[in-house]
């Protein structure tokens, strides 16, 4: 292939170095900032030096089409000749195509069908620094294919950031790194923090007006998503002699091309992250950076996923600002305080750490390494998220015993999230291929509908027939129609289509949930299942509910059975999904007073108690029972509630209670177990504890702590765990009042160990006889036990009696005649020698009628006054 004169872009001087490094090492890393020409010039140079095809993998469809168009223009040709592209639902390439630009996801699928990539000499992985999930997977699969089947396959990875050491090590030992330095002009940075109570869109619009007033050229504004682009566009209405263009991946090709062409008037281009690195917007001399980006996130516990709005990294902020300095000195306005810039993360978080990995798990299973352990990863998939994805695939019938099934391979070829693939395959058998494809196309790209009501939105789509939706419906219908008869039930593998599996916002919202939440096994909705959806008027809700026949709610429920939702209370906007998460239906949704919804898309803002419904269709209980039969559970529930045993037979659809009936003759053992749970909830204090019972418990506790076995533990946890001591009473108890009548002391005596129990009064006597003849109660609540006694009653004692086979000496609390403590001692002889003189001196004048001898051994122990001693 003969090259024309290439434009003088910063990457041109290193094109020879790149080709030489690939020839010598087979792999290489090219580090080049945005705008250096790496995406367009490098593939042309490589194609000129090889006889095979050069495949360029881009993370986004928009970038793939734009790169192909630019290279074709440099060659003076139309796209589809020497240079072509393939993205999902759109392919322009032919037999003469030497350079093909594809999405990363599409190349993953192509690699699965042809691991040798026959006819391909070089694969260029563009914008690796963005760390998209498909790109990371593609890199791992390419390295594995190169190690085993294609050692001659050359792989070039490009990155806009200098942190390429890990990538070079992954590609080789390490792979050579070539750097191309961009020729950029200085960019002046200004910070524009929000004003008090100023909304984000108003802040960005204010910064954009400042950019128009204080700079020349076009203004490129970075926003997190299409919704923010629409709102900022409204804020800028009437701005004057300026054209405003949106730029994001969901626009039509014509609208995208318009935003990427220079105009006759000054322009403001409102863009998502697509313009950060792989696209060049001409004429830009000012950048307004909103500081936010939208990235995939998954909440496994709530079963919700989607695109979360996060702060950009410092590396991304630098790339965005650099767009202002491509054609001359520029300015950048950052919509955050300057002191917050240092707190930004250094680099973007790799998607593989945060996204739903169900689709990745299916690709790994198709490759033959379900856990991914046989591959070399930039960052390995988190085990928990990967296990959650495999659990979903098992429930869908895509995996069996960890290995991919024929059904799973068929699902992988559809270019959809596995949940949507399941809905398409099984739904087509119920309502027809086209009707199922119409709904699935929306589920996979929910940006097609501006509202929440799926059925109304589908009617609008069928009337307006937008190109993007129409092409995807045709693609999916064709894939269904092309498969063999058995394949219509998900039992045959179809060929690999030329379509991208690039993740859309709809796919990102397909959260992983436990395997028992999906109502299917291999072969779709089995006919032997009495709950399976039957076609025709009697199957679920009426066919007229959805446009074109069939019920869209059914397709949604097949994709997300755990998102079938019922209103929590009459008139409420709060719904409980079968997966257990509460979601709110926003006002003005158009779904009316629906009792049941099939929720297609829902998300939850951090800190909010409930999620928010973004797309749903009206459903009913009959459809829910049929579409999510695997979630139906009927069982007897005998529980302790509000001080009573409640015995009910309950039917649930996941977390949703469908019926609740009283049981008149519940199982006796289950009732006893419920009473025991009630006792644990109420606590042992609900029993009748007399003073004797309480004392007995303390004495047993003392012996257990002091002597151990065979004396039982009688703390709360031990008594609540023991099944024997209350068994007779609990067998007849039904409510709290029954528990309050139980004599705890009588029950506690069942724990006394025989024959050791005969020594209870010897080892831990309830009362101890003192020299006066009184029998004084011991206090076993303390450690060691306490004997509180008037000092006159122990005259004559020289040693305190010991407890528990002589192991423990009780502490004496010696009392005055008024029963006030005067001394505490565990060493009585020492007290008589050193403590008594002081006590005698303090109290003999206060209590003159009582005996206070100098030598307590000369006066007999006695109760009361001194005359009782005589």
């Amino acid at each position: 292939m003969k090259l024309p004169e290439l434009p003088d872009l910063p990457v041109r001087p290193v094109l020879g170095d790149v080709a030489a490094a690939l020839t010598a090492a087979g792999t290489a890393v090219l580090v080049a900032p945005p705008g250096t020409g790496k995406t367009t010039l490098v593939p042309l140079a490589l194609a000129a030096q090889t006889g095979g095809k050069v495949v360029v993998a881009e993370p986004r469809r928009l970038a793939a089409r734009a790169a192909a168009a630019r290279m074709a223009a440099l060659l003076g040709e139309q796209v589809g000749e020497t240079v072509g592209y393939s993205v999902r639902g759109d392919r322009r390439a032919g037999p003469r195509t030497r350079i093909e630009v594809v999405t990363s996801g599409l190349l993953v699928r192509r690699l699965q069908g042809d691991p040798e990539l026959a006819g391909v000499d070089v694969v260029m992985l563009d914008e690796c620094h963005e760390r998209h999930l498909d790109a990371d997977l593609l890199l791992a699969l390419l390295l594995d294919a190169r190690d085993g089947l294609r050692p001659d396959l050359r792989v070039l990875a490009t990155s806009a950031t200098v942190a390429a050491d890990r990538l070079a090590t992954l590609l080789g030992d390490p792979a050579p790194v070539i750097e191309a330095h961009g020729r950029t002009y200085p960019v002046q940075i200004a910070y524009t923090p929000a004003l008090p109570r100023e909304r984000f869109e108003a802040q960005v619009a204010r910064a954009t007006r400042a950019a128009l007033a204080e700079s020349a050229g076009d203004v490129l504004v970075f926003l997190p998503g299409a919704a923010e682009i629409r709102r900022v566009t409204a804020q800028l209405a009437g701005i004057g002699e300026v054209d405003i263009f949106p730029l994001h991946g969901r626009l039509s090709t014509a609208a995208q091309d318009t935003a990427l062409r220079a105009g006759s008037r000054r322009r403001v281009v409102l863009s998502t992250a697509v313009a950060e690195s792989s696209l060049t917007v001409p004429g830009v001399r000012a950048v307004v950076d909103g500081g936010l980006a939208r990235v995939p996130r998954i909440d496994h516990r709530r079963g919700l996923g989607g695109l979360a709005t996060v702060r950009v990294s410092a590396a991304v902020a630098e790339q965005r600002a650099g767009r202002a300095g491509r054609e001359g000195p520029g300015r950048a306005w950052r919509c955050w305080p300057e002191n917050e810039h240092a707190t930004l993360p250094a680099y973007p978080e790799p998607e593989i750490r945060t996204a739903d990995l169900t689709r990745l798990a299916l690709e790994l299973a198709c490759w033959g390494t379900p856990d991914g352990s046989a591959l070399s990863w930039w960052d390995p998939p988190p085990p928990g998220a990967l296990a959650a994805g495999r659990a979903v695939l098992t429930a869908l019938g895509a995996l069996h015993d960890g290995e991919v099934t024929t059904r799973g391979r068929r699902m992988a070829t559809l270019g959809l999230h596995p949940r949507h693939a399941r809905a398409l395959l099984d739904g087509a058998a119920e309502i027809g291929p086209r009707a199922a494809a119409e709904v699935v196309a929306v589920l996979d790209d929910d940006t097609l509908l501006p509202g929440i009501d799926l059925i109304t939105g589908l009617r609008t789509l069928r009337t307006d027939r937008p190109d993007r939706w129409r092409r995807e419906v045709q693609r999916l219908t064709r894939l269904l129609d092309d498969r063999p008869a058995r394949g219509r039930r998900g039992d045959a593998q179809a060929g690999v289509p030329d379509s991208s599996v690039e993740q859309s916002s709809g796919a990102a919202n397909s959260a992983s949930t436990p395997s028992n939440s999906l109502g299917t096994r291999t072969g779709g909705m089995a006919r032997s299942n009495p709950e399976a959806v039957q076609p025709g008027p009697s199957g679920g809700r009426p066919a007229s509910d959805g446009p074109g026949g069939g019920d869209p709610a059914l397709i949604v429920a097949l994709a997300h059975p755990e998102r079938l939702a019922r209103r929590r209370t009459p008139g409420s906007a709060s719904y409980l999904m079968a997966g257990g998460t509460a979601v709110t239906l926003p006002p003005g949704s158009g779904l009316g007073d629906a009792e049941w919804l099939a929720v297609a898309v829902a998300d939850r803002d951090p800190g909010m108690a409930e999620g928010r419904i973004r797309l749903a269709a009206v459903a009913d209980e009959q459809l829910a029972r049929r579409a999510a039969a695997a979630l139906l559970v009927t069982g007897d529930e005998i529980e302790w509630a509000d001080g009573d045993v409640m015995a009910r037979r309950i039917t649930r659809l996941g977390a949703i209670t469908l019926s609740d009936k009283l049981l008149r003759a519940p199982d006796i053992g289950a009732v006893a177990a419920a009473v025991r749970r009630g006792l644990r909830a109420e606590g042992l204090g609900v029993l009748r504890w007399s003073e004797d019972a309480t004392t007995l418990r303390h004495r047993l506790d003392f012996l257990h702590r002091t002597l151990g076995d065979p004396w039982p533990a009688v703390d709360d946890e031990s008594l609540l765990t023991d099944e024997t001591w209350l068994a007779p009473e609990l067998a007849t108890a039904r409510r709290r009042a029954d528990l309050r009548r139980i004599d705890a002391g009588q029950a506690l005596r069942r724990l006394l160990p025989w024959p050791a129990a005969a020594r209870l009064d010897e080892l831990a006597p309830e009362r101890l006889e003192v020299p006066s003849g009184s029998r004084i109660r011991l206090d076993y609540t303390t450690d060691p036990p306490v004997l509180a006694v008037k000092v006159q009653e122990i005259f004559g004692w020289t040693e305190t009696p010991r407890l528990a086979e002589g192991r423990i000496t009780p502490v004496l609390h010696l009392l005055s005649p008024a029963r006030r403590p005067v001394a505490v001692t565990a060493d009585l002889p020492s007290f008589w020698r050193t403590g008594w003189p002081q006590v005698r001196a303090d109290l003999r004048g206060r209590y003159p009628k009582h005996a206070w001898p100098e030598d307590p051994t000369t006066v007999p122990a006695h109760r009361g006054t001194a005359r009782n001693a005589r």
Side-chain angles (χ1 to χ4, degrees):
M1 185 181 96
K2 185 177 180 181
L3 284 180
E5 181 68 20
L6 297 177
D8 185 21
L9 292 174
V11 79
R12 194 172 75 170
V14 301
L15 292 178
D17 297 337
V18 172
L22 284 175
T23 300
T27 60
V29 177
L30 172 61
V31 177
T36 54
K38 65 180 182 303
T39 301
T40 52
L41 300 194
V42 172
L44 291 171
L46 294 176
Q49 299 186 28
T50 181
K53 180 182 283 190
V54 175
V55 176
V56 181
E58 291 288 341
R60 299 180 180 88
R61 283 175 267 184
L62 172 56
R65 284 192 291 259
R70 175 61 177 155
M71 284 188 279
L74 290 174
L75 296 176
E77 300 178 353
Q78 296 293 316
V79 174
E81 298 179 37
T82 303
V83 181
Y85 69 80
S86 294
V87 300
R88 186 169 68 180
D90 186 13
R91 183 167 192 255
R92 295 182 63 183
R96 292 182 49 237
T97 299
R98 294 284 316 283
I99 301 171
E100 186 177 11
V101 190
V102 302
T103 54
S104 302
L106 186 145
L107 190 52
V108 167
R109 284 279 82 234
R110 193 174 289 181
L111 193 61
Q112 292 277 16
D114 178 15
E116 294 186 5
L117 288 181
V120 177
D121 280 1
V122 181
V123 175
M124 174 174 155
L125 305 176
D126 201 19
E127 313 296 357
C128 287
H129 63 278
E130 295 188 6
R131 302 303 308 278
H132 290 283
L133 183 61
D134 282 341
D136 277 12
L137 172 62
L138 176 60
L139 175 60
L141 297 186
L142 278 174
L143 293 177
D144 194 48
R146 191 173 183 278
D147 286 345
L149 299 173
R150 284 291 309 276
D152 62 319
L153 181 67
R154 287 174 284 172
V155 177
L156 173 66
T158 77
S159 173
T161 61
V162 296
D165 293 346
R166 170 65 181 143
L167 184 58
T169 302
L170 196 63
L171 284 170
D173 191 23
V177 178
I178 301 98
E179 291 192 34
H181 300 285
R183 293 194 297 269
T184 59
Y185 295 89
V187 176
Q188 182 180 348
I189 304 294
Y191 292 87
T192 310
L195 300 175
R197 295 185 296 279
E198 185 178 37
R199 295 181 63 87
F200 171 72
E201 290 83 3
Q203 176 192 9
V204 173
R206 178 167 57 88
T208 303
R209 291 190 184 94
L212 287 169
E214 300 174 23
S215 66
D218 294 344
V219 180
L220 177 59
V221 182
F222 285 101
L223 293 161
E228 290 82 0
I229 288 176
R230 288 193 297 270
R231 291 193 287 269
V232 172
T233 300
Q235 292 269 347
L236 295 175
I239 203 168
E241 298 295 317
V242 176
D243 292 326
I244 300 175
F245 297 103
L247 180 59
H248 54 82
R250 299 301 178 186
L251 291 174
S252 66
T253 302
Q256 293 170 351
D257 291 343
T258 299
L260 293 175
R261 283 197 302 265
S264 58
R265 299 200 307 174
R266 199 174 184 192
R267 304 184 310 149
V268 172
V269 179
L270 306 177
S271 176
T272 60
V274 296
E276 283 175 4
S277 53
S278 50
L279 292 176
T280 296
V281 182
V284 172
R285 297 289 295 277
V287 165
V288 174
D289 186 356
L292 300 176
R294 202 147 283 156
V295 297
R297 287 288 188 271
I298 179 66
D299 184 341
H300 294 287
R301 184 169 66 87
R302 293 180 176 87
L304 295 179
L307 297 174
T309 303
V310 301
R311 300 166 69 198
V312 298
S313 67
V316 167
E318 287 302 310
Q319 287 181 34
R320 291 181 174 185
R323 287 297 187 178
R326 295 288 177 259
E327 299 181 3
R331 296 189 64 181
W333 281 258
R334 290 172 171 169
C335 296
W336 60 87
E338 184 174 4
N339 60 355
E340 289 185 4
H341 187 75
T343 67
L344 296 178
Y347 296 101
E349 183 81 357
E351 279 188 10
I352 200 168
R353 295 181 187 170
T354 59
D356 171 24
L357 300 188
T358 304
R359 193 169 186 166
L360 176 78
L362 181 57
E363 296 292 356
L364 291 178
C366 289
W367 192 256
T369 174
D371 62 357
S373 60
L375 302 178
S376 299
W377 295 95
W378 194 332
D379 284 290
L386 192 59
R390 289 202 301 269
V392 172
L393 294 173
T394 300
L396 293 174
L399 296 184
H400 179 69
D401 291 336
E403 301 296 325
V404 65
T405 63
T406 303
R407 173 181 169 87
R409 292 190 182 278
R410 173 63 183 139
M411 292 166 64
T413 65
L414 295 177
L416 299 168
H417 188 281
R419 286 180 175 276
H420 299 161
R422 179 267 174 112
L424 182 66
L425 292 174
D426 294 349
E430 305 299 336
I431 66 173
R434 184 170 184 84
E438 289 177 344
V439 181
V440 170
V442 173
L443 297 183
D444 201 51
D445 180 4
D446 56 88
T447 63
L448 286 163
L449 299 182
I452 296 174
D453 185 350
L454 173 62
I455 294 176
T456 299
L458 281 170
R459 292 194 182 105
T460 301
L461 288 174
R462 287 179 60 82
T463 300
D464 297 344
R465 297 180 61 78
D467 288 344
R468 196 167 83 246
W469 177 73
R470 178 178 50 80
R471 285 197 303 266
E472 183 65 359
V473 171
Q474 290 173 347
R475 183 184 78 85
L476 296 177
T477 305
R478 186 168 58 250
L479 288 173
L480 289 168
D481 289 341
D482 288 347
R483 61 197 170 112
R486 286 189 63 195
R488 294 181 185 274
R489 301 298 299 170
D491 292 333
Q493 179 184 359
V496 178
D498 281 329
S499 58
S500 170
V501 295
E502 181 180 19
Q503 187 170 15
S504 70
S505 62
N509 199 280
S510 302
S512 300
T513 51
S515 60
N516 63 3
S517 68
L518 296 159
T520 186
R521 291 184 295 274
T522 54
M525 303 177 69
R527 294 295 181 186
S528 60
N529 181 355
E531 298 286 359
V533 174
Q534 303 296 326
S538 63
R541 297 171 67 237
S544 60
D545 283 353
D551 190 347
L554 171 64
I555 305 302
V556 174
L558 289 174
H560 299 284
E562 79 290 348
R563 292 188 190 166
L564 284 158
R566 191 175 72 179
R567 191 166 51 186
R568 302 176 82 175
T569 56
S572 170
S574 179
Y575 287 75
L576 178 64
M577 297 197 297
T581 299
V583 288
T584 299
L585 185 63
S589 65
L591 292 173
D593 197 33
E595 178 71 14
W596 282 84
L597 293 174
V599 179
V601 181
D603 55 23
R604 187 185 71 89
D605 292 330
M608 298 300 292
E610 295 192 0
R612 180 179 63 252
I613 297 173
R614 290 176 47 205
L615 185 64
V618 177
D620 56 32
E621 183 175 330
Q622 182 184 14
L623 181 145
R625 284 177 175 268
R626 294 183 175 214
L631 295 180
L632 282 171
V633 176
T634 298
D636 295 344
E637 297 189 6
I638 303 171
E639 296 293 340
W640 181 271
D642 298 326
D644 204 349
V645 174
M646 305 297 291
R648 299 179 179 276
R649 178 157 292 165
I650 298 178
T651 299
R652 285 191 174 90
L653 184 83
I656 301 172
T657 299
L658 301 180
S659 65
D660 187 340
K661 300 176 182 177
L662 285 174
L663 274 179
R664 303 201 178 275
D667 178 75
I668 295 175
V671 171
V675 172
R676 189 169 292 281
R677 289 193 295 273
L679 177 61
R680 179 175 285 275
E682 301 280 345
L684 292 173
V686 74
L687 305 178
R688 180 161 57 88
W689 289 91
S690 65
E691 185 179 4
D692 288 343
T694 301
T695 299
L696 174 61
R697 185 181 180 188
H698 292 317
R699 293 164 68 196
L700 291 175
D701 180 60
F702 164 70
L703 291 177
H704 175 74
R705 287 185 287 106
T706 305
L707 301 178
D709 290 337
W711 299 99
V714 290
D715 58 279
D716 281 7
E717 184 61 31
S718 299
L719 291 180
L720 289 169
T721 303
D722 193 290
E723 297 278 342
T724 60
W725 71 293
L726 286 175
E729 289 82 0
L730 295 185
T732 58
R734 292 293 182 273
R735 53 190 56 85
R736 186 185 291 118
D738 297 334
L739 297 179
R740 286 174 175 162
R741 287 192 290 268
I742 295 176
D743 184 346
Q746 179 182 342
L748 203 57
R749 289 190 175 276
R750 297 191 185 106
L751 293 177
L752 291 175
W754 295 95
R759 301 183 61 201
L760 175 62
D761 290 336
E762 170 197 342
L763 300 175
E766 182 179 353
R767 295 175 180 271
L768 197 62
E769 185 173 349
V770 297
S772 68
S774 297
R775 292 179 56 78
I776 307 298
R777 185 186 295 272
L778 282 153
D779 181 2
Y780 287 95
T781 62
T782 63
D783 186 18
V786 168
L787 181 68
V789 60
K790 291 181 181 179
V791 68
Q792 285 82 8
E793 296 200 51
I794 64 166
F795 286 171
W797 256 6
T798 57
E799 291 287 346
T800 308
R802 300 176 70 81
L803 308 174
E805 298 177 338
R807 300 189 186 188
I808 301 297
T809 300
V811 175
L812 295 177
H813 285 203
L814 302 179
L815 310 177
S816 72
R819 300 196 62 82
R820 293 189 179 92
V822 297
V824 175
T825 182
D827 185 353
L828 191 57
S830 176
F831 169 74
W832 291 135
R833 290 193 308 271
T834 61
W836 172 249
Q838 183 63 44
V839 170
R840 177 176 178 270
D842 290 343
L843 299 181
R844 62 184 297 190
R846 192 179 305 174
Y847 302 100
K849 295 182 180 181
H850 292 74
W852 302 99
E854 291 185 12
D855 182 0
T857 61
T858 63
V859 178
H862 58 278
R863 304 185 189 99
T865 61
R867 67 182 181 181
N868 292 335
R870 296 191 293 270

